[in-house]
Amino acid sequence: MKQITRDQIELLIELQKKEIEAETIQYELDKQPAKMAQITSVLKKFEEEIEKQTAALEDLKKGYRSFDDIIADNQARIKKREEQLRAVTTNKEYQAILKEIADIKKINSRIEDETIECLDKIDAAEKAVKEHEKNYAVEEENINQQKTALEIEADGQEKLLEGLLSEKDAISEKIDPELMKQYDFIKSQARGIAIVEVKEAVCQGCNMNIPPQMYNELHRENELRICPHCHRMLYVLY
Ligand SMILES: [Zn+2]
């Protein structure tokens, strides 16, 4: 077994602590884009709602214009019939044209009513769009604040992470390269935890008992011990 100083073990423990802290921060930072997208999606829904309402308003306006066209057409028809009236020779024909004119006027009157209804609907739709745009502006402001808060938080975490990574590098430099290699290998094999404490003969990495002799040696000798069950490096606190 390799001789190892207590100092080296403490460096490994400290290194692992920094690495875990850095990984935790990185994990949070990785969630940042999803959080940002979640916040922005609220605004997107608002935008879609406004687009839908604006399209409905446009349809109403189109309908209003077509009513106008029909009324104008009908008025032209009435005028034509009135001209025809002057040329008719029989009473029957005269009455027929009069009835036709009355029918067209009735239709126009109904369309005019519908036009008024349509105008009311346009008015209501315009108000709804304006109201939504107002709410959108409030929500946008709110979301921009949330985004800024998130960015500030992320900046803070980035700085913290940078600090931890440079501390980690500084610690690694003090660790024997062979030992470092072994540590990295175990870490990659043992779900990110390479060095664990042994408490009352129980490995805190796998919760299994280590042999009593190994436990005693851990207290006495400066040799690197490996858990026979989870193969992590072991240490005891004095
Ligand atoms: Zn173990």
Side-chain angles (χ1 to χ4, degrees), residues 198-202 204 209 215:
V198 178
K199 268 188 198 162
E200 289 166 30
V202 175
Q204 299 301 298
N209 272 295
Y215 188 52

Side-chain angles (χ1 to χ4, degrees), residues 8 21 68 80 83 101 123-124 157 168 190 210 225:
Q8 288 281 293
E21 271 179 62
D68 250 10
K80 211 171 147 194
E83 278 162 12
I101 290 173
D123 203 35
Q157 284 180 322
K168 180 181 97 107
I210 61 162
R225 300 289 174 195

Side-chain angles (χ1 to χ4, degrees), residues 213-224:
Q213 194 198 341
M214 186 185 274
Y215 188 52
N216 289 334
E217 285 165 0
L218 269 170
H219 284 87
R220 283 189 276 107
E221 295 171 19
N222 287 327
E223 274 181 9
L224 184 62

Side-chain angles (χ1 to χ4, degrees), residues 58-164:
E58 279 313 307
D59 283 348
L60 282 171
K61 285 181 176 170
K62 228 184 270 169
Y64 175 77
R65 282 193 296 270
S66 76
F67 283 152
D68 250 10
D69 290 346
I70 295 169
I71 289 172
D73 278 354
N74 283 343
Q75 274 163 350
R77 279 171 65 203
I78 291 169
K79 215 177 150 201
K80 211 171 147 194
R81 296 289 179 276
E82 281 169 348
E83 278 162 12
Q84 285 173 347
L85 268 183
R86 287 189 223 120
V88 297
T89 49
T90 68
N91 187 44
K92 197 181 164 196
E93 210 181 336
Y94 189 81
Q95 291 304 330
I97 294 177
L98 271 190
K99 189 183 177 300
E100 206 182 331
I101 290 173
D103 285 348
I104 299 171
K105 280 186 175 167
K106 219 185 278 171
I107 291 170
N108 257 8
S109 156
R110 209 184 59 222
I111 295 173
E112 272 161 11
D113 287 348
E114 281 176 32
T115 307
I116 291 167
E117 258 175 52
C118 189
L119 274 179
D120 285 346
K121 280 184 194 163
I122 288 173
D123 203 35
E126 273 173 347
K127 271 188 195 137
V129 169
K130 273 203 190 101
E131 184 68 21
H132 240 82
E133 280 170 348
K134 212 167 76 189
N135 290 342
Y136 177 85
V138 172
E139 193 63 27
E140 193 179 33
E141 175 67 28
N142 176 16
I143 278 166
N144 283 341
Q145 278 174 7
Q146 286 184 45
K147 274 187 182 173
T148 309
L150 210 59
E151 275 159 8
I152 290 171
E153 194 196 323
D155 278 353
Q157 284 180 322
E158 297 268 12
K159 284 205 183 77
L160 211 62
L161 182 61
E162 236 171 77
L164 278 168

Side-chain angles (χ1 to χ4, degrees), residues 203 206 227 230:
C203 164
C206 62
C227 172
C230 68

